[in-house]
Amino acid sequence: STNILLKKNGQNYKGLCPFHSEKTPSFTVSPEKQIYHCFGCGAGGNIFKFIMEIEDLSFIDAVKKLASKYSIALPTANPNQINAKSNEREILLSINQKAQTYFTRLLKDEKLGLLARNYLKSRGLNDETLLNTYGIGWAAPEWKDTQNYLQREGKFSQKNILLAGLIKQKEGGKENDCYDRFRGRIMFPFQDIHGNLIAFAGRVIGDIEPKYLNSPETQLYIKGNHLFGLNQAKGSIRKQNRALLVEGYFDQMRAYQHGIKNTVATCGTALTAAQASLIKNHTKRVTLIFDSDSAGQAATKKGFEVLLEQGLSVDILSLPSGHDPDSFIHQFGPEKFLEELKNSKPFIESYILETV
């Protein structure tokens, strides 16, 4: 738990903000209004919001924690009235968790995971990053491997595995004729801001298209509403009061492995207002680091507009041609990358320089 030393200041209390680094206290608590606000980073809310942010809990879990601490009895739901949607959500989360455990086991398997392990080794990411931080796995190339496992070991129904997006119905086939969505792919689990496993992305080894295949939209996952790595990066974003926004899974993972932990990735989606809003809850400053090719430049311009609409200040880092954050940090190291970062320019300035 986080202890903050608060000193009386008129009607309020003041102290150093736990959400970002500061030397002069700007974190204020108002007993009368029952709220907190930081005039430095803009964090604010009530006791529930504070517990949610500090301890990375959902609203329900924050309520339960406080109720337990102060011995307050919470009303219990009638089992007959349990919300069907929330029940379905729990089932889908369980399916994803079970699938992720299986994908990780396959990656570690001496024979079955060899191809994937060799590929990941060639990318220079260590086991701590791959397995412990991100839970990367491998989906077998067979047509019904994942489905069979989830039905046999997890006792999940085909209907629910379909709802989770891990299998697809065969076109023109019978209703129960389904096959695995992800086959022969390196599996990236996608977590929401609270660390719930809500979706997957699968990457092929080689030149097959599409290179990345994502989960479809489900009750857990709506495309464009989440940022890859935000659950790991949010504390660092607050402390450094800056978010580094990159494009790909490997970009984010490489930066994080090398201690550049305030990094999040859009992963194949054009930046949305919902994603900008997620960042805004933690900082008002963003550095865009997209690829130097024309598609990357277009994404940068569009990203800038979305962030600006949310009232964020935007810098741009242009890496040398042919490099993305993954390849640059891998080749030149994190110190050189941080040097480059110091040279990032406000978007308007870099945009003018490019068009002059």
Side-chain angles (χ1 to χ4, degrees):
S1 64
T2 304
N3 292 319
I4 306 159
L5 186 63
L6 296 174
K7 291 187 177 170
K8 191 96 167 90
N9 183 8
Q11 287 186 311
N12 299 327
Y13 289 84
K14 253 190 156 174
L16 292 173
C17 179
F19 298 114
H20 79 291
S21 300
E22 60 174 9
K23 292 190 173 73
T24 310
S26 56
F27 182 80
T28 306
V29 177
S30 165
E32 185 196 352
K33 293 178 182 168
Q34 300 273 294
I35 58 167
Y36 65 93
H37 182 76
C38 175
F39 291 92
C41 71
N46 59 18
I47 182 66
F48 300 109
K49 179 85 183 287
F50 183 80
I51 298 288
M52 285 166 72
E53 294 290 346
I54 284 286
E55 303 206 14
D56 190 17
L57 296 173
S58 67
F59 175 70
I60 298 293
D61 289 336
V63 171
K64 284 178 183 171
K65 188 178 180 77
L66 286 167
S68 164
K69 187 176 171 71
Y70 295 104
S71 305
I72 298 166
L74 291 173
T76 53
N78 177 336
N80 300 325
Q81 295 175 329
I82 291 173
N83 185 316
K85 279 285 179 199
S86 109
N87 201 21
E88 183 186 298
R89 182 183 164 80
E90 291 305 316
I91 291 167
L92 298 190
L93 285 170
S94 299
I95 290 172
N96 283 348
Q97 203 55 60
K98 191 78 176 169
Q100 192 256 339
T101 304
Y102 184 51
F103 294 145
T104 307
R105 190 195 298 173
L106 287 178
L107 180 66
K108 290 178 180 173
D109 187 283
E110 199 176 332
K111 286 182 184 169
L112 300 173
L114 184 63
L115 183 71
R117 282 201 313 278
N118 285 345
Y119 174 77
L120 290 166
K121 208 171 185 178
S122 77
R123 299 293 297 245
L125 292 163
N126 63 36
D127 282 353
E128 173 66 26
T129 300
L130 293 169
L131 299 171
N132 298 346
T133 308
Y134 292 94
I136 303 300
W138 169 249
E142 282 77 25
W143 285 91
K144 295 200 173 188
D145 192 75
T146 305
Q147 179 181 197
N148 289 340
Y149 175 81
L150 290 170
Q151 287 186 303
R152 186 180 67 247
E153 301 293 326
K155 305 285 188 275
F156 296 111
S157 70
Q158 189 181 60
K159 180 190 165 203
N160 285 330
I161 302 169
L162 197 57
L163 284 173
L166 284 162
I167 57 176
K168 288 177 81 170
Q169 206 168 317
K170 198 171 176 183
E171 275 184 47
K174 292 174 187 163
E175 197 177 330
N176 64 352
D177 200 356
C178 297
Y179 59 93
D180 291 351
R181 180 179 295 273
F182 301 102
R183 303 180 311 282
R185 287 176 182 265
I186 288 168
M187 299 300 289
F188 296 81
F190 202 121
Q191 296 177 319
D192 67 11
I193 195 167
H194 301 298
N196 297 310
L197 207 175
I198 55 170
F200 290 94
R203 189 199 193 282
V204 290
I205 300 171
D207 298 325
I208 305 157
E209 289 295 327
K211 188 193 287 186
Y212 282 94
L213 184 65
N214 297 317
S215 289
E217 293 201 350
T218 66
Q219 197 203 315
L220 299 177
Y221 171 69
I222 295 170
K223 191 178 172 183
N225 274 14
H226 308 276
L227 286 162
F228 181 74
L230 184 57
N231 58 310
Q232 281 113 342
K234 64 187 178 194
S236 187
I237 289 171
R238 276 200 187 279
K239 285 214 160 50
Q240 297 188 44
N241 194 20
R242 179 182 296 279
L244 308 180
L245 193 58
V246 297
E247 280 188 273
Y249 295 94
F250 281 111
D251 294 324
Q252 197 277 338
M253 288 164 62
R254 174 85 57 199
Y256 197 87
Q257 177 175 302
H258 285 88
I260 305 160
K261 297 192 170 180
N262 57 329
T263 310
V264 291
T266 54
C267 295
T269 63
L271 190 71
T272 65
Q275 289 170 327
S277 178
L278 280 175
I279 295 170
K280 192 180 173 183
N281 287 337
H282 302 281
T283 183
K284 302 287 188 290
R285 298 161 66 205
V286 179
T287 302
L288 282 171
I289 317 168
F290 284 0
D291 291 359
S292 51
D293 60 20
S294 56
Q297 296 297 334
T300 303
K301 187 171 181 299
K302 178 84 176 93
F304 164 71
E305 288 164 3
V306 172
L307 293 164
L308 195 67
E309 278 169 20
Q310 294 283 330
L312 294 154
S313 70
V314 188
D315 285 354
I316 300 292
L317 172 59
S318 295
L319 292 171
S321 184
H323 275 292
D324 55 23
D326 175 33
S327 65
F328 188 90
I329 296 168
H330 191 38
Q331 189 171 337
F332 301 109
E335 294 80 10
K336 191 91 172 78
F337 180 78
L338 291 170
E339 272 176 42
E340 291 278 334
L341 203 54
K342 284 177 189 165
N343 299 327
S344 60
K345 296 183 175 68
F347 178 83
I348 293 295
E349 192 183 316
S350 66
Y351 188 61
I352 290 166
L353 283 173
E354 275 169 26
T355 50
V356 167

